[in-house]
Amino acid sequence: MDRSASASMPSSTASPPLYSFPIASFLNLPKAKELSALYTSAAIIISLLVLEQAVYRYKKRHLPGAAWTIPLIGKFADSVAPSMEAYKRQWDAGALSAVSVFNIFIVMASSNEYARKILNSPTYAEPCLVHSAKKVLRPDNWCVVFLTGKVHVDYRRGLNALFTRKALGIYVPIQEAVCRKHLTRWLAAAGKNSSSQPIMMIARHLNMETSLAVFCGSHIPEHAAQDINDKYWAITQSLELVNFPFAFPGTKVYKAVQARKVALHWLELAAHKSKIAMANGGEPECMLDEWVRSLADPAYKGRKEFSDLEMAMVLFSFLFASQDAMSSGLIYGFQHLADHPEVLSKVREEQERIRQGNYLKPLTLEMIDQMTYLYAVVKESMRTKPPVLMVPYKATRAFPISDDYTVPANSMVIPSFYNSLHDPEVYPNPEEFIPERWLDPNGSANANPKNYLVFGSGPHRCIGLEYAQMNIVLTLATAAVMMNFEHDVTPQSHLSDIIATIFPKDGCRLKLTPRTYA
């Protein structure tokens, strides 16, 4: 039998095909399960995006604002680089308007009525600042942004003794000594460099040393004050509107936390030293001393025991509340005087009358009280260029802010102060710098105190407003008699400060020269 025809060749020796065309992986069709997963993921993503828009539209209702929000990020780009023009457009859109950033629904309130309603409704809204604030300032800090209700009211009541007339009188010589030291240093530096210099950081340093000296007196050494001063800018930078919120090494929030630790260390030590000094019969020479003495007064009603750390956190809160805002107010005060020589001339005439030609005579609280024109200058400066334009609040519950709109719970609601401070019916020619508008007790400016929201309103109104105004008045009064200053106008000179933390570092440049008879 011929078996050759039925014989098969072993596979191992079979000849390969002449050509081999492997199919590329990207041409392989996905399996049914892969397609199903892909369609499911796409459906989920699309559904979430649709839901995002639906929720935004539901919360927004009839309020002015973008009809649709940019998916996920919303108005993130605007918040990264805020501009006065953009804010004005938002405010002009309506007394209440809506915006969304990273799915945080925000209601902007631009009218005096709604701004005051937010500030005066602690049962519906509480200050929240920015996401990183509690990490930087400590969540257990009493600071005005973290306490509400009766606990907040009672705490503030216990601190009122720190801002009485008696207390302010203690602070005046401290403020003047620090001020003269810094202005003398400014003039010495100007003598070595005749060109104009930005005053932002040197004004901030003056303000910081003044605050620490008033708060702690000799209980904080000079090198410690310098250490806090050097590091505090990290805290300012960490509280920008948009920032990486976690305290990872190298981030702004991390650097701010380290700076806060340094500040609290020295403030806690100062509180300890003050208690010892007062227990040994010393006389109050600073805010800490006055606080410790008031707690020991038999007539004092309220909590009497505070740990060193608690006292340090209170002072740190004051530092936080004053440093950026008061520095901006001071810088704009210099700029306004430089830009209006006729106003500066009147300030100097008032100083001549009060000081009677003796410019080395120590100032007293009574002398400062007589500086009515300079107080009007400071008040008008802060009206035209408010150090803080808005303060973020959070609706803790559904907030019926108007007859036809309720702010959803957990939304941000932000009262802005600019329109109140530039209302032409209250302040005719609101963009003009006119200190005289405050000299007429029956004028519209003084007749409408509810419009002057520079220091806020309601339970969180600035507890140290008299101290803040007095400090700016004292500094400008001393500068007016010690030096001449000329404003070197730059493109950034007249940028309004959206938030105190973003004041341009070279925004105000002054050329300083000494006054020969000062």
Side-chain angles (χ1 to χ4, degrees), residues 80-209:
V80 170
S83 69
M84 192 64 185
E85 291 72 22
Y87 276 111
K88 282 184 176 179
R89 285 196 299 271
Q90 185 78 31
W91 298 330
D92 291 344
L96 295 173
S97 60
V99 67
S100 177
V101 179
F102 281 128
N103 281 319
I104 300 173
F105 184 73
I106 303 170
V107 174
M108 304 286 285
S110 62
S111 72
N112 182 260
E113 174 191 359
Y114 291 134
R116 289 183 59 82
K117 190 165 187 177
I118 296 166
L119 297 171
N120 288 276
S121 299
T123 57
Y124 289 104
E126 64 184 20
C128 63
L129 280 184
V130 296
H131 183 78
S132 60
K134 285 191 177 182
K135 290 184 178 67
V136 174
L137 304 175
R138 289 181 54 136
D140 57 341
N141 198 331
W142 85 275
C143 180
V144 291
V145 299
F146 302 149
L147 274 187
T148 57
K150 187 176 184 302
V151 176
H152 175 250
V153 173
D154 290 343
Y155 215 126
R156 280 178 63 107
R157 187 181 294 118
L159 299 175
N160 286 335
L162 307 182
F163 299 100
T164 61
R165 291 279 300 176
K166 176 185 174 185
L168 293 176
I170 294 173
Y171 308 153
V172 168
I174 303 173
Q175 292 169 282
E176 185 180 22
V178 175
C179 178
R180 283 189 174 272
K181 181 179 83 171
H182 276 261
L183 295 183
T184 300
R185 187 182 299 166
W186 291 12
L187 288 171
K192 298 176 182 178
N193 185 351
S194 60
S195 62
S196 63
Q197 299 296 320
I199 70 163
M200 176 187 171
M201 296 310 292
I202 61 174
R204 287 176 63 88
H205 292 166
L206 182 158
N207 190 35
M208 174 64 79
E209 186 173 338

Side-chain angles (χ1 to χ4, degrees), residues 35-108:
L35 277 174
S36 177
L38 180 64
Y39 292 151
T40 300
S41 299
I44 291 174
I45 292 172
I46 293 172
S47 297
L48 290 175
L49 293 175
V50 171
L51 178 62
E52 177 188 35
Q53 301 298 327
V55 170
Y56 169 73
R57 297 273 293 187
Y58 173 77
K59 291 181 176 180
K60 176 182 176 293
R61 293 177 58 191
H62 62 277
L63 293 187
W68 307 98
T69 183
I70 300 173
L72 302 180
I73 65 172
K75 291 285 188 178
F76 170 73
D78 289 349
S79 60
V80 170
S83 69
M84 192 64 185
E85 291 72 22
Y87 276 111
K88 282 184 176 179
R89 285 196 299 271
Q90 185 78 31
W91 298 330
D92 291 344
L96 295 173
S97 60
V99 67
S100 177
V101 179
F102 281 128
N103 281 319
I104 300 173
F105 184 73
I106 303 170
V107 174
M108 304 286 285

Side-chain angles (χ1 to χ4, degrees), residues 214-230:
V214 167
F215 297 166
C216 304
S218 60
H219 304 312
I220 189 167
E222 187 172 343
H223 71 272
Q226 186 63 47
D227 196 17
I228 296 173
N229 199 353
D230 292 341

